[in-house]
């Protein structure tokens, strides 16, 4: 059972974390966090207790730093909550599992409005609700005295439901490569925001609130996927990780990517034309859409929503890696004026 705290009056628009205090913040945030179906003990105790029907726990952590992963003048508090949850829930799905709970660590300046934190909690709860998951615990801290940035560290837990975990290391020569979800939309939206615009609205919304194909992960596992990961850092970068871990060469089909992910009348094409760019740059190197990429045995029946984009081949003298129509990924990205994907300390 969750330990109950006395109800508190709603926070006003000018109430800060410092004015309300740590436990006032926690009480207000927990009130908006929902409840996890598998939690026996939720927020309010020294630790949460979450049931594990499968007997194994899938776990992952992502850190979101204000100014690097989000900006409060670009995104609402609810947007930030959705994005923080999605980044972790997609990793759970990429293992073939279903999310069960989140743990959240928060560091923020003392003058952070409590209503903003309530909005973040609301966004997380809305992103988790379809799975019966929720925030079940965490911690709060004041930021360093010289820091004005909010930092969110989110840990997600998941359940495999009897499936074998699908790792990055199982791809084999002859497998087909497929993607579920969208590619390039978040990067397109970021390009729009960086130029001070908010349209096309669909692209901007994709950056503020990614929409990972959560159900596609367990479906791919059930269909016999041999390897899988999410595309948080960009397709070329993340397929590169999969290729390295599997010891294979992945050859992507640019034509298939264009047909599957570049709508000739859609936002990617519109924005690229306005900026004088190529929408394939976002499809190949843009991150934070959290699409899933997986490999399947030859002849496998791909689940609905998966698009074939390439094949797995034996390595050559250059070792594991990614190519696009036979051209090394680094060269393809350079020709587009990009790196192969997001570099965290670049």
């Amino acid at each position: 059972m969750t330990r109950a705290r006395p109800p508190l009056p709603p926070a006003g628009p000018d109430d800060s974390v410092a004015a309300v205090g740590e436990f006032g913040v926690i009480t207000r945030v927990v009130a908006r966090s929902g409840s996890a179906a598998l939690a026996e003990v939720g927020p309010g105790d020294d630790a949460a207790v979450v049931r594990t029907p499968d007997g194994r726990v899938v776990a992952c952590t992502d850190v979101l730093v204000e100014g690097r992963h989000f900006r409060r003048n670009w995104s609402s508090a609810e947007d930030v909550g959705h994005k923080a949850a999605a980044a972790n829930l997609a990793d759970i799905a990429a293992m073939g599992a279903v999310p069960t709970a989140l743990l959240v660590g928060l560091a923020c300046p003392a003058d952070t409005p409590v209503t903003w934190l309530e909005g973040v909690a609301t966004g997380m709860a809305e992103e988790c609700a379809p799975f019966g998951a929720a925030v079940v615990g965490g911690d709060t801290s004041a930021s360093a005295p010289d820091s004005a940035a909010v930092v969110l560290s989110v840990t997600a837990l998941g359940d495999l439901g009897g499936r074998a975990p699908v790792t990055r290391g199982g791809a084999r020569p002859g497998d087909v490569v497929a993607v579920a979800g969208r590619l390039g939309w978040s990067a397109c939206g970021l390009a729009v925001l960086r130029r001070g615009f908010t349209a096309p609205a669909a692209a901007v919304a994709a950056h503020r609130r990614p929409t990972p194909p959560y159900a596609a992960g367990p479906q791919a596992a059930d269909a016999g996927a041999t390897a899988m990961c999410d595309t948080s850092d960009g397709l070329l970068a993340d397929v590169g990780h999969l290729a390295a871990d599997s010891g294979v060469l992945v050859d992507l089909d640019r034509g298939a990517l264009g047909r599957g992910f570049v709508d000739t009348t859609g936002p990617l094409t519109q924005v690229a034309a306005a900026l004088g760019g190529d929408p394939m740059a976002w499809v190949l190197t843009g991150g934070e859409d959290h699409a899933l990429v997986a490999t399947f045995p030859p002849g496998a029946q791909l689940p609905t929503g998966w698009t074939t984009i390439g094949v797995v081949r034996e390595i050559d003298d250059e070792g594991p890696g990614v190519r696009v129509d036979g051209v090394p990924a680094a060269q393809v990205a350079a020709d587009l004026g990009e790196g192969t994907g997001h570099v965290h300390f670049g």
Side-chain angles (χ1 to χ4, degrees), residues 191-221:
V192 170
L193 288 166
R194 280 176 168 167
R195 285 158 178 81
F197 300 103
T198 56
V204 173
H207 176 71
R208 289 171 171 161
R209 296 189 187 188
T211 55
Y214 300 119
Q219 289 168 357

Side-chain angles (χ1 to χ4, degrees), residues 317-343:
D317 292 341
E318 297 182 9
V322 183
R323 297 180 184 173
V324 181
D325 294 340
V327 180
Q331 183 60 56
V332 172
D335 291 343
L336 292 168
E338 303 284 349
T340 55
H342 179 69
V343 179

Side-chain angles (χ1 to χ4, degrees), residues 164-167 170-171 175 216-217 219-228 293-297 300 306:
V166 185
T167 70
D175 286 355
Q219 289 168 357
D222 291 337
T226 54
M228 185 160 49
V293 60
T295 57
F296 296 85
W306 286 85

Side-chain angles (χ1 to χ4, degrees), residues 5-42:
R5 289 196 174 95
L8 295 174
D14 298 323
D15 285 344
S16 67
V17 171
V20 171
E22 177 185 5
F23 289 101
V25 170
I26 292 172
T27 299
R28 288 174 170 87
V29 167
V30 167
R32 294 171 177 263
S33 296
S35 59
L38 294 180
E40 293 186 4
V41 178

Side-chain angles (χ1 to χ4, degrees), residues 77-255:
E78 288 79 4
D79 291 336
V80 175
H82 277 276
K83 188 172 187 175
N88 287 270
L89 300 176
D91 284 336
I92 297 296
M95 297 298 291
V98 176
T100 58
L102 293 183
L103 298 165
V104 180
L106 165 73
C108 66
D111 63 356
T112 303
V114 174
T115 52
W116 190 84
L117 297 180
E118 289 176 331
V120 172
T122 296
M124 287 187 174
E126 290 174 352
E127 194 72 20
C128 290
F131 317 107
V135 174
V136 296
D139 190 27
T140 60
S141 174
S143 298
D146 59 347
S147 174
V150 173
V151 178
L152 286 165
S153 176
V154 182
T155 296
L157 308 179
D159 189 79
L160 285 161
R163 304 176 193 87
V166 185
T167 70
R168 296 175 177 179
R172 297 292 178 264
D175 286 355
V176 298
V177 184
V179 166
R182 300 192 298 195
L183 294 172
W185 282 64
S186 179
C188 177
L190 178 59
V192 170
L193 288 166
R194 280 176 168 167
R195 285 158 178 81
F197 300 103
T198 56
V204 173
H207 176 71
R208 289 171 171 161
R209 296 189 187 188
T211 55
Y214 300 119
Q219 289 168 357
D222 291 337
T226 54
M228 185 160 49
C229 64
D230 99 315
T231 59
S232 55
D233 293 333
L235 182 66
L236 293 182
D238 286 309
V239 172
H241 300 319
L242 186 152
D245 288 358
S246 296
V248 296
L249 177 65
V250 175
D251 197 2
L252 302 178
D253 182 336
R254 183 168 182 150

